[in-house]
Amino acid sequence: MNKFREIFLDLEQKIVAGDYPAHSLLPSENQLIKVYSVSRETVRKALNMLRDAGYIQKKQGKGSIVLDLNRFDFPISGLTSFKELQETQRIPSKTTVAEIKKIAVSPKLHEITDWPVASESWKLIRQRSIDGEVVILDKDYLDASIIPELPKEAAEQSIYDYFENQLGLDISYAQKEITVEPITKETRDLMDLRPEDQHVVIVRSLVYLEDTRCFEYTESIHRLDKFRFVDFARRRKI
């Protein structure tokens, strides 16, 4: 076995065991060179393997920061509410409604959703807290001609449960776009971000009913260290 792989496996085991807890620093390259009696190149190969495996983040001027391994799986495909994810993965979370009101559809929102300009829509902003930190910010826009009322209690629990079981809507499919973008002032004000955080993951979704009407546009903003985005893919020969 290559020496750098041995070092990778040893450090991996220590990170998993908690010898190097989340947000702590690994020993410096010079310290690792002495501990393992290897070259700097070998140490760097091992650290790069740890980085690529999602165990550390290399920060200029600081060293190698251990990442939080307690990440939750966020499915890319499929259409699952946060409440359903919370229950199936036992995520210790709390939802806070930061804003809920009716607004007029702007030209920009019209361009995204094709809803008539100046027609009524709901704007709903919710903060999702895990272990006391706001790590998800959900911004929902809903067609008020389809969703005439939106109780705050439903927004704090599950709007999809309200849509399907109270309003009798048949939610069918969604178009999703996932990007990594710089943090805005609004995002930093409404989320608990770390000083080193410069980017967030944004999942934008247009959600449709069975009759193909678009009734929801969502921007779900995630802190990078708390989630991993997963999917199941089957090879198709073309």
Side-chain angles (χ1 to χ4, degrees):
M1 183 184 296
N2 292 325
K3 189 65 179 177
F4 65 82
R5 181 159 181 80
E6 290 181 13
I7 298 170
F8 162 76
L9 292 173
D10 186 55
L11 292 173
E12 178 188 44
Q13 187 274 327
K14 289 176 179 175
I15 291 172
V16 172
D19 295 344
Y20 298 122
H23 313 303
S24 69
L25 288 171
L26 288 185
S28 68
E29 287 186 3
N30 288 334
Q31 290 171 318
L32 292 173
I33 288 169
K34 292 179 181 178
V35 169
Y36 294 105
S37 300
V38 295
S39 68
R40 187 175 302 277
E41 181 183 0
T42 299
V43 164
R44 286 182 175 174
K45 284 183 178 180
L47 293 176
N48 286 339
M49 287 183 69
L50 287 170
R51 179 199 61 198
D52 294 343
Y55 288 109
I56 64 170
Q57 176 181 349
K58 297 175 80 172
K59 194 78 173 177
Q60 183 108 20
K62 284 192 174 182
S64 300
I65 303 171
V66 179
L67 297 177
D68 190 347
L69 299 181
N70 295 317
R71 297 186 180 191
F72 300 98
D73 291 344
F74 196 95
I76 297 172
S77 61
L79 191 50
T80 306
S81 71
F82 182 81
K83 182 70 172 179
E84 291 164 339
L85 288 177
Q86 177 191 10
E87 292 174 351
T88 56
Q89 298 188 44
R90 298 180 180 177
I91 301 174
S93 67
K94 176 186 176 183
T95 295
T96 301
V97 175
E99 184 177 345
I100 182 170
K101 65 180 181 181
K102 279 187 175 180
I103 62 170
V105 173
S106 66
K108 181 178 179 180
L109 187 57
H110 161 74
E111 186 176 338
I112 296 170
T113 63
D114 206 29
W115 300 337
V117 173
S119 63
E120 280 194 330
S121 65
W122 287 98
K123 179 181 180 181
L124 172 63
I125 298 180
R126 290 175 293 175
Q127 297 165 300
R128 314 285 198 178
S129 301
I130 297 177
D131 296 328
E133 293 184 308
V134 179
V135 294
I136 302 177
L137 185 66
D138 281 342
K139 299 168 68 176
D140 297 286
Y141 298 89
L142 301 152
D143 186 342
S145 68
I146 299 174
I147 315 292
E149 299 296 333
L150 185 58
K152 184 178 179 182
E153 295 77 12
E156 290 172 337
Q157 296 299 315
S158 171
I159 57 174
Y160 275 25
D161 179 73
Y162 171 69
F163 296 160
E164 293 175 323
N165 298 314
Q166 298 296 319
L167 300 184
L169 299 178
D170 194 356
I171 301 171
S172 181
Y173 63 95
Q175 295 176 339
K176 294 185 179 182
E177 174 189 83
I178 301 175
T179 58
V180 177
E181 300 181 15
I183 294 169
T184 65
K185 182 180 184 304
E186 179 190 33
T187 299
R188 195 170 287 281
D189 288 344
L190 293 176
M191 295 180 70
D192 290 317
L193 300 173
R194 303 163 302 169
E196 64 267 27
D197 288 327
Q198 299 299 320
H199 294 81
V200 287
V201 174
I202 302 180
V203 182
R204 293 182 172 87
S205 303
L206 285 167
V207 189
Y208 297 81
L209 299 176
E210 185 65 34
D211 61 12
T212 74
R213 285 183 296 167
C214 174
F215 76 97
E216 177 186 21
Y217 169 64
T218 297
E219 295 179 358
S220 190
I221 304 168
H222 299 251
R223 207 172 83 178
L224 288 171
D225 64 311
K226 282 296 182 182
F227 292 87
R228 59 184 181 184
F229 294 82
V230 299
D231 197 5
F232 173 80
R234 187 182 297 279
R235 174 167 167 74
R236 293 175 58 190
K237 293 184 179 181
I238 299 176

